[in-house]
Amino acid sequence: MKATPVEQKELLRLQALDIKTQQLKHQASALTQHAEIAALGVTADANRQVVTTRTGELEDARTELRRIESDVSVVESRIKRDSDRLQTSSSVKDIQALEAELTALKKRLGDLEEIEIAVMERVEAQEAVVALAESEGAAIAAQIAQAVALRDEALAGVNKQLGDNVRDRAAVAATIEDELVALYEKRYVAGHGNAAALLRARTCSGCTMTLTGNDLEAVRLAPVNDVVFCPDCGAILVRTEESGI
């Protein structure tokens, strides 16, 4: 392929812009906030699991407390009923039966009230645990929000540079013949990003191979408008006054 030395030199600008694009994309993917957000996400998931578990335990305790409170209410009602009947009864047999039942009911009430106090204490303790877990969850959410804001700010800066880079690349590519650009693009894919390299002091800047022997002679004898390639990495070799040939 033929191309003017000026166009071949423009390939170096194209290569530099493509390298810059790669660097910016890597910079965007390697932001420290990505790992921080991911780690905080794991912590947040674990916290949500704790909140769910502890809230379930709290609801179970509250259900138990309501059941005990209902039992206490029933026993208190029976005590009041029997006490009222005791006040109005004139039968010795009925009085004895009522007194015996009241004794049993009062013992039952005492037992229930002890259980009620214990369950109330458990409810209070579990409420504190849930509140603490929810507070920790809120703190984690705040950390995530801050990390996301910092990441988005950093990404905005990188994306701005990427946009400028894409615009500049399009401008450079527009000054080069389509056939040469197509060749460059093909070499870019085949060379994993290494498509055009300056030949400086007989050394390829793409792979740092120094040309010698027949390889050097072939490049030296090629007309200036011939597109030549590095025999090692396959990049388009751009010859200038720095080439040393």
Side-chain angles (χ1 to χ4, degrees), residues 29-41:
S29 65
L31 290 173
T32 57
Q33 288 82 12
H34 291 314
E36 183 182 359
I37 291 169
L40 286 170

Side-chain angles (χ1 to χ4, degrees), residues 28-153:
S29 65
L31 290 173
T32 57
Q33 288 82 12
H34 291 314
E36 183 182 359
I37 291 169
L40 286 170
V42 172
T43 303
D45 288 341
N47 173 263
R48 280 190 288 271
Q49 184 60 49
V50 169
V51 170
T52 299
T53 300
R54 298 308 183 193
T55 299
E57 293 172 351
L58 173 59
E59 289 306 315
D60 289 344
R62 284 173 172 168
T63 299
E64 183 180 358
L65 179 59
R66 287 192 292 270
R67 178 182 60 78
I68 293 171
E69 289 173 339
S70 177
D71 290 346
V72 168
S73 179
V74 169
V75 172
E76 287 177 338
S77 295
R78 291 180 62 184
I79 289 174
K80 184 179 184 307
R81 182 199 64 187
D82 287 355
S83 296
D84 292 343
R85 289 176 61 189
L86 184 64
Q87 296 298 321
T88 59
S89 178
S90 58
S91 168
V92 174
K93 183 178 179 180
D94 287 346
I95 291 173
Q96 288 177 339
L98 288 168
E99 287 177 341
E101 185 174 348
L102 281 169
T103 299
L105 286 171
K106 287 177 181 178
K107 182 180 183 308
R108 173 61 176 161
L109 180 61
D111 293 342
L112 285 172
E113 288 175 339
E114 287 183 6
I115 295 172
E116 183 180 28
I117 291 172
V119 175
M120 287 177 65
E121 290 175 348
R122 192 163 81 246
V123 167
E124 290 177 358
Q126 289 174 338
E127 284 176 339
V129 169
V130 170
L132 177 61
E134 289 177 340
S135 176
E136 290 174 346
I140 294 168
Q143 288 179 285
I144 291 175
Q146 182 180 23
V148 168
L150 290 173
R151 180 204 62 190
D152 290 348
E153 182 181 356

